[in-house]
Amino acid sequence: TIGVIDGEAVVGLSAAEIHTLATEPNVVKTSRRDFPRVLSQNLHGATTVSGTMLLAKMANIDVFVTGGTGGVHRGGETTMDVSADLTELQRTPVAVVSAGVKSILDIPRTLEKLETYGVSVAILGSDEFPAFFTPRSGVFMPGNHVSCPADAAEMFYHCKYSLGLENGMLFAIPPPEHPDGAQIFEQMEKWVDQAVEEAEAQVKGADVTPFVLRRVRE
């Protein structure tokens, strides 16, 4: 686990340090842009996918696992609200394994952005890209299917070591399907739309994603 404790970047957090990041009130959501401030002011920082990729690269870690990556926010075609996670995937050669892109985001536009950036995306055991809370997103990518972890590892080997590419890769692993998966997906979309509408009226910038995730959870 990676994070920042009292202004020091830590790769391999202890249980006590993880507890600190989970309970302290003034922990900074830390992406690439935030490191200078967090380190110089001796703050605690919970790293985003972008921040974690950066520190993983420095520690010679090729692969890390997270819940869901950032992406293009709903309405991003007008607000230009796009997560720095996508830019980091473009320029940092680390493989990110996740349950897809957070379902609160615009998944089709996120995948289009990754394609523009030249970032390979692979889905383990499915043709449908997962949406964090659910294996369903309505976005099918049959050419991006990998059948096993060994195939995924070979893809990343060729990306980073055979070709020497400087970008990362995104490996999406769908969460288990629920018997009422279709209904859950429809309900989730309604909750997300409501939470996004509330966020537009109450928060901005880096506070949007935590706000929407909290409201969906509630």
Side-chain angles (χ1 to χ4, degrees):
T1 307
I2 291 174
V4 181
I5 301 294
D6 290 323
E8 181 178 352
V10 180
V11 177
L13 291 165
S14 68
E17 289 169 333
I18 293 172
H19 184 265
T20 294
L21 294 181
T23 57
E24 286 292 323
N26 297 316
V27 175
V28 179
K29 179 181 175 182
T30 306
S31 187
R32 173 186 281 258
R33 70 166 187 180
D34 304 299
F35 281 112
R37 177 171 70 93
V38 174
L39 270 58
S40 65
Q41 297 180 16
N42 299 319
L43 303 175
H44 297 318
T47 52
T48 64
V49 169
S50 168
T52 305
M53 287 185 74
L54 183 62
L55 295 182
K57 177 189 175 185
M58 293 178 179
N60 294 317
I61 296 172
D62 278 347
V63 183
F64 82 90
V65 180
T66 186
T69 62
V72 179
H73 283 253
R74 300 191 186 202
E77 68 275 15
T78 56
T79 65
M80 301 300 291
D81 192 351
V82 179
S83 170
D85 295 352
L86 303 188
T87 310
E88 206 65 49
L89 280 161
Q90 179 189 23
R91 64 188 172 193
T92 303
V94 173
V96 177
V97 180
S98 75
V101 175
K102 296 183 180 75
S103 54
I104 64 173
L105 303 174
D106 188 325
I107 293 176
R109 283 192 170 91
T110 296
L111 294 171
E112 287 287 349
K113 195 72 171 176
L114 288 172
E115 179 182 351
T116 299
Y117 285 163
V119 176
S120 293
V121 176
I123 311 165
L124 185 65
S126 176
D127 290 339
E128 186 172 6
F129 191 83
F132 190 37
F133 291 113
T134 168
R136 297 174 178 270
S137 69
V139 180
F140 289 87
M141 307 174 69
N144 298 67
H145 176 111
V146 291
S147 58
C148 65
D151 290 345
E154 185 171 2
M155 285 184 68
F156 184 64
Y157 172 82
H158 286 296
C159 175
K160 181 171 183 177
Y161 294 102
S162 292
L163 298 173
L165 300 180
E166 292 298 321
N167 57 276
M169 287 191 65
L170 177 60
F171 293 97
I173 301 180
E177 177 69 279
H178 190 277
D180 299 320
Q183 292 86 345
I184 291 173
F185 175 69
E186 291 177 4
Q187 183 62 60
M188 186 69 68
E189 286 293 290
K190 293 178 182 178
W191 288 338
V192 170
D193 288 341
Q194 178 183 337
V196 169
E197 185 176 340
E198 292 175 7
E200 290 174 351
Q202 299 182 45
V203 295
K204 294 182 180 180
D207 294 329
V208 171
T209 297
F211 177 91
V212 174
L213 286 174
R214 184 177 68 252
R215 290 293 292 128
V216 170
R217 185 174 66 249
E218 290 170 353

